[in-house]
């Protein structure tokens, strides 16, 4: 057997022996970004369908969480930056080819927009809400006139936000496991799925609960389909992609991924949600926690596995 | 003008002089390196062959680090040399994850650092520190577009390869084999 032994004298911290420059901050942010995108998409979509009174949790209540989720996500992103005092440089450039630049600008627009979106619903959900200042009242009235336009912009930006969390990783061809364009749609779908599970958990009416349980079942189905395709794509790829796939098919990530993400995070909750729809008793919190935890786990595993996969030369 | 480097794997003995010269010239923090030695042993005992390479940033013409940088901190300087502008770098590490050669690292001061082809020396007409000190003259540096440059002559007469060209990076460090 011909052997090849590669010995390198390089030992740079966080680069060797295995790349580990992104810790918990990035996957945690990707999770929060995906979740925020999911919540905003549902809220804006059902507003455009004029179902705000029928689906109050999805349309009016859940978006309240978004500015906080994005805020925590941004703090987490800033914690990751090793030259953080220069972070403002993100907003002196528009780099079309850099997914990170897309993300920075999208967040820059979507954060204030999501706050405005929450603001226009506050009087609906808290009848005694008083904005106190006439200027604010006038602004809110003005914003309400453009509710549908805002919803359309929100859907577009949220899709970009949800997708970019995956594209951010897939743009790196140096890390073969990430280098698949399916990561964008996969992360968008999984963000939508986590928000559907949360909406279904918090909803008070049978109509809303059942609708979002059904939506979540469909989304989990799509996610499973995409995961299968991710591995099919890698296995039909080049040697480095095949090696990357093998990290999940017998390698170090096999158990965490198939047991925790696919088993406990997708298959078990989808089974419980189907039972729910058949009016079997399932404590509502169980599928919600499983879906959300599976979502978080998916991002942690993908970020870690990508850094462990590499070209050999 | 395209600067490039060629490392003669038949002459390189892996002495690490280039590594130390670089660390001294560029004040590289202790425990880090911008260039390094790789030894590849192939074959079945006793028929073994050994290739020794002095490696560094490949100053790719299609550099993924420049593409993924959100702030233009990673950029092409004169002659296609890939540089990082410290005062524009936010330390997001996108360039590190996008480099298939893992040629970059996080400087203890927070910005991302790597080989500069000793641009401060090249601008003065000098050779990069690693090339200048190599005791076996295993490295040549120069302009690819000038047919009379040392590197063009070497590459015209020798067999050469670059590292993982299939990654699509169009590297500008070549290995004479």
């Amino acid at each position: 057997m011909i052997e090849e032994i590669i010995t390198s004298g390089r030992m740079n911290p966080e680069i060797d022996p295995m790349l580990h420059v992104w810790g918990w901050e990035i996957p945690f942010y990707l999770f929060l970004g995906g979740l925020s995108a999911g919540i905003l998409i549902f809220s804006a979509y059902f507003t455009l369908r004029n179902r705000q009174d029928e689906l109050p949790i999805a349309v009016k209540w859940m978006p309240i969480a978004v500015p906080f989720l994005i805020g925590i996500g941004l703090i987490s992103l800033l914690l990751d930056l090793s030259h953080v005092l220069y972070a403002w440089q993100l907003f002196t450039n528009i780099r079309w080819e850099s997914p990170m630049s897309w993300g920075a600008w999208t967040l820059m627009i979507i954060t204030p927009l999501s706050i405005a979106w929450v603001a226009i619903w506050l009087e609906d959900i808290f009848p005694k809400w008083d904005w106190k200042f006439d200027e604010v009242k006038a602004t809110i009235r003005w914003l309400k006139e453009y509710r549908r336009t805002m919803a359309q912009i929100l859907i577009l930006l949220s899709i970009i936000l949800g997708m970019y969390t995956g594209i951010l990783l897939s743009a790196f061809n140096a890390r073969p496991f990430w280098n698949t364009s399916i990561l964008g749609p996969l992360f968008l779908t999984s963000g939508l799925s986590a928000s559907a599970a949360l909406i279904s958990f918090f909803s008070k009416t049978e109509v809303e609960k059942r609708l979002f349980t059904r939506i979540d079942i469909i989304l989990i189905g799509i996610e499973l389909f995409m995961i299968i395709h991710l591995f099919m794509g890698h296995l039909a790829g080049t040697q480095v992609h095949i090696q990357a796939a093998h990290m999940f098919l017998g390698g170090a990530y096999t158990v965490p991924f198939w047991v925790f993400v696919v088993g406990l995070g997708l298959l078990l909750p989808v089974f419980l949600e189907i039972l729910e729809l058949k009016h079997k008793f399932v404590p509502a919190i169980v599928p919600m926690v499983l879906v959300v935890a599976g979502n978080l786990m998916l991002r942690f595993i993908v970020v870690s596995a990508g850094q462990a996969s590499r070209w050999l030369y | 003008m395209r600067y490039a480097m060629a490392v003669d794997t038949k002459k390189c003995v892996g002495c690490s002089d280039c590594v130390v010269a670089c660390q001294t010239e560029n004040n590289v923090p202790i425990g880090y390196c911008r260039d390094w030695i790789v030894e590849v042993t192939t074959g079945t005992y006793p028929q073994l062959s050994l290739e020794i390479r002095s490696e560094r940033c490949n100053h790719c013409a299609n550099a993924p680090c420049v593409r993924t940088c959100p702030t233009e901190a990673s950029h092409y300087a004169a002659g296609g040399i890939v540089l990082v502008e410290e005062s524009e770098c936010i330390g997001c590490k996108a360039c590190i994850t996008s480099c298939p050669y893992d040629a970059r690292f996080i400087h203890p001061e927070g910005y991302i650092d790597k080989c500069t082809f000793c641009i401060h020396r090249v601008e003065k007409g000098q050779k990069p520190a690693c090339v200048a000190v190599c005791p076996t003259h295993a490295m040549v540096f120069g302009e690819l577009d000038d047919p009379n440059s040392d590197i063009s002559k070497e590459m015209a007469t020798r067999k050469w390869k670059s590292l993982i060209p299939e990654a699509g990076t169009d590297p500008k460090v070549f290995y004479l084999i």
Side-chain angles (χ1 to χ4, degrees):
Chain A
M1 192 182 92
I2 291 186
E3 287 183 33
E4 191 168 18
I5 300 169
I6 303 172
T7 319
S8 169
R10 192 184 62 202
M11 213 22 163
N12 284 331
E14 293 171 280
I15 310 295
D16 304 297
M18 190 198 280
L19 187 72
H20 188 72
V21 288
W22 284 343
W24 62 270
E25 298 91 343
I26 296 294
F28 185 57
Y29 159 71
L30 297 182
F31 165 74
L32 294 174
L35 192 58
S36 305
I39 292 172
L40 290 175
I41 290 173
F42 283 129
S43 173
Y45 174 74
F46 286 111
T47 303
L48 290 177
R49 299 287 304 269
N50 284 322
R51 294 180 72 179
Q52 51 268 42
D53 296 323
E54 193 189 340
L55 309 169
I57 299 292
V59 174
K60 303 174 186 175
W61 284 87
M62 283 306 284
I64 297 176
V66 170
F68 298 99
L69 295 175
I70 294 183
I72 300 169
L74 281 176
I75 292 171
S76 156
L77 264 190
L78 289 176
L79 286 176
D80 174 70
L81 298 180
S82 60
H83 216 209
V84 67
L85 293 178
Y86 295 80
W88 54 271
Q89 286 280 0
L90 279 170
F91 301 107
T92 58
N93 294 285
I94 296 181
R95 295 269 304 104
W96 296 107
E97 286 181 300
S98 162
M100 209 158 291
S101 185
W102 273 86
W105 285 103
T106 306
L107 281 173
M108 173 92 160
I109 305 168
I110 212 168
T111 310
L113 201 59
S114 70
I115 295 171
W117 185 251
V118 172
I120 60 169
W121 293 112
L122 282 179
E123 284 163 326
D124 272 58
I125 49 183
F126 302 112
K128 287 183 185 164
W129 187 273
D130 183 12
W131 285 107
K132 288 200 172 64
F133 302 101
D134 287 342
E135 293 83 356
V136 182
K137 282 181 191 162
T139 315
I140 301 290
R141 247 196 322 274
W142 178 77
L143 284 172
K144 278 183 179 173
E145 280 175 35
Y146 291 97
R147 182 176 288 173
R148 293 186 72 81
T149 316
M150 273 173 82
Q152 285 158 349
I153 298 171
L154 268 180
I155 291 182
L156 177 71
L157 288 174
S158 304
I159 291 175
I160 295 175
L161 177 64
M163 288 274 258
Y164 120 86
T165 60
I167 293 176
L168 178 72
L169 303 177
S170 65
F172 299 135
N173 109 338
R175 313 295 150 195
F177 182 69
W178 289 342
N179 192 213
T180 159
S181 49
I182 212 158
L183 274 189
L186 175 64
F187 277 19
L188 176 65
T189 315
S190 110
L192 282 166
S193 157
S195 31
L198 277 169
I199 294 167
S200 161
F201 172 70
F202 285 115
S203 56
K204 301 279 187 292
T205 64
E206 195 64 13
V207 179
E208 193 170 21
K209 199 177 266 310
R210 288 181 73 82
L211 174 65
F212 279 92
T213 306
R214 214 174 294 138
I215 290 176
D216 200 29
I217 292 173
I218 296 169
L219 289 170
I220 292 179
I222 298 174
E223 259 186 88
L224 286 165
F225 172 81
M226 286 185 185
I227 287 173
I228 293 168
H229 274 256
L230 185 147
F231 286 103
M232 278 173 65
H234 275 331
L235 288 172
T238 62
Q239 184 61 27
V240 287
H241 293 100
I242 295 170
Q243 279 173 350
H246 279 297
M247 298 195 302
F248 289 80
L249 304 168
Y253 291 93
T254 311
V255 173
F257 183 76
W258 296 103
V259 174
F260 292 104
V261 176
V262 176
L264 293 175
L266 297 171
L267 293 175
L268 183 59
V270 88
F271 174 69
L272 292 175
E273 284 174 345
I274 291 170
L275 286 184
E276 259 184 306
L277 287 184
K278 295 193 174 206
H279 300 286
K280 300 275 191 306
F281 174 73
V282 176
I285 194 168
V286 178
M288 185 275 280
V289 168
L290 287 174
V291 167
V292 172
N295 233 277
L296 189 60
M297 191 82 175
L298 170 72
R299 283 157 178 83
F300 268 86
I301 290 181
V302 169
V303 169
S304 167
Q307 295 182 87
S309 73
R310 57 165 302 169
W311 291 78
L312 274 180
Y313 61 92
Chain B
M1 185 170 66
R2 292 178 300 155
Y3 285 124
M5 187 181 282
V7 181
D8 193 337
T9 59
K10 302 289 182 206
K11 284 186 187 166
C12 178
V13 292
C15 68
S16 293
D17 253 13
C18 49
V19 181
V20 178
C22 168
Q23 287 164 329
T24 313
E25 173 72 27
N26 296 297
N27 211 1
V28 178
I30 291 171
Y32 293 81
C33 58
R34 289 181 180 185
D35 58 350
W36 58 93
I37 299 293
V38 172
E39 296 180 7
V40 185
T41 314
T42 35
T44 312
Y45 182 82
Q47 266 89 43
L48 295 172
S49 75
L50 177 67
E51 179 180 287
I52 305 175
R53 303 191 292 249
S54 167
E55 291 187 7
R56 61 197 38 65
C57 167
N58 285 273
H59 296 275
C60 307
N62 181 25
C65 52
V66 174
R67 200 167 58 241
T68 53
C69 177
T71 68
E72 292 178 357
S74 284
H75 63 281
Y76 300 107
I81 297 182
V82 176
L83 293 183
V84 183
E85 173 55 48
E86 290 164 28
S87 63
E88 282 182 43
C89 176
I90 63 171
C92 71
K93 298 167 287 249
C95 56
I96 295 186
T97 45
S98 69
C99 175
Y101 309 102
D102 287 340
R104 295 170 163 242
F105 59 87
I106 309 166
H107 191 281
E109 284 176 22
Y111 57 87
I112 307 307
D113 200 11
K114 67 171 203 68
C115 162
T116 61
F117 262 171
C118 280
I119 192 165
H120 59 288
R121 291 172 60 92
V122 173
E123 280 169 346
K124 287 186 244 165
Q126 297 171 326
K127 292 174 183 171
C130 53
V131 177
V133 300
C134 181
T136 61
H137 302 289
M139 283 181 269
V140 280
F141 176 85
E143 262 188 65
L144 271 187
D145 294 329
D146 173 6
N148 294 317
S149 68
D150 292 346
I151 188 162
S152 297
K153 285 180 194 159
E154 286 283 358
M155 289 184 61
T157 53
R158 294 280 301 274
K159 273 192 180 174
W160 54 265
K161 65 173 182 182
S162 55
L163 298 178
I164 34 172
E166 63 271 30
T169 51
D170 197 358
K172 287 290 164 276
V173 174
F174 302 96
Y175 294 88
L176 306 172
I177 49 176

